[in-house]
Amino acid sequence: MTNPLTDHAPDKPSTYRRVLLKVSGEALMGAGSYGIDPATVDGIAADVAAVARTGVEVCLVVGGGNIFRGVAAAARGMDRAQGDYAGMLATVINALLMQNSLERQGIPTRVMTAIQMSSIAEPYIRRRAVRHMEKGRVVIFAAGTGNPFFTTDTGAALRAAEMECSALFKGTQVDGVYSADPRKVPDARRYDTLTYRDVLANDLNVMDAAAISLARENRLPIVVFNIHEKDAFSRVMRGEGRFTTIVASD
């Protein structure tokens, strides 16, 4: 089985050309239990900026769970579609904050939303997004797919496929994929490499089934790592540190 990180290491002729980083909304909370920690946002932005400066074209999807979760609201009786639309707006707030942090790092960015709100962001147009990245801008995709009942993980897999990214990087709270939540199950098994089939068959809680299936159909490698480690994104891009890769079986 090939390892996309080893195959794309910087000291080899073939390097990552374009990647998508998915960051959960919870990652922006820092040590808090709700909202946004500016220092955490700045740290992630600095890491993304370092990768962008190497010439890799970068795009992002940021979740909204630190502000509002449609699924959780639906469990309390709210209409699911309305809850999901509210969650999409939360992702726009996070995208604007990430844009601000990136631009203070000197990195030009564009926020593109699946739901039109032209006063604050561009509408998502695939060819325009590609052109932005070709010009060295980091593109932040917000408002998910623009449709309820789809997670931001599925939105990230969709955008990564549309952008023809070399890989989808998912920054999480732990250093890879485990057989169970290692924060609750100390002896949970950690995986270095998995196939899409492994994830689906074992119901591993890394991304929803729709996102995994979409990545599988497009042979899009997924790399899962701990976004909170210093220079985590930069290091994983170089094939360093601990992470899990999800690839095809052949």
Side-chain angles (χ1 to χ4, degrees), residues 38 55 75 99 101 131 135 143 150 161 183 187 212 218 233 246-247:
Q99 178 183 42
S101 290
R131 186 62 178 146
K135 290 183 175 181
F150 290 92
R183 295 168 295 183
D187 60 348
I212 295 295
N218 292 278
F233 186 34
I246 304 171
V247 294

Side-chain angles (χ1 to χ4, degrees), residues 1-8 16 166-169 177 191-200 204 206-207 211-224 243-250:
M1 183 182 299
T2 59
N3 184 320
L5 285 185
T6 301
D7 294 345
H8 294 83
Y16 284 114
S166 305
L168 189 167
F169 288 75
V177 181
Y191 303 98
D192 287 325
T193 307
L194 290 164
T195 66
Y196 308 114
R197 183 177 290 112
D198 292 333
V199 175
L200 294 171
L204 297 176
V206 54
M207 300 179 89
I212 295 295
S213 296
L214 186 56
R216 179 183 181 181
E217 290 170 9
N218 292 278
R219 301 184 71 84
L220 174 70
I222 301 170
V223 183
V224 183
F243 50 84
T244 299
T245 57
I246 304 171
V247 294
S249 57
D250 55 347

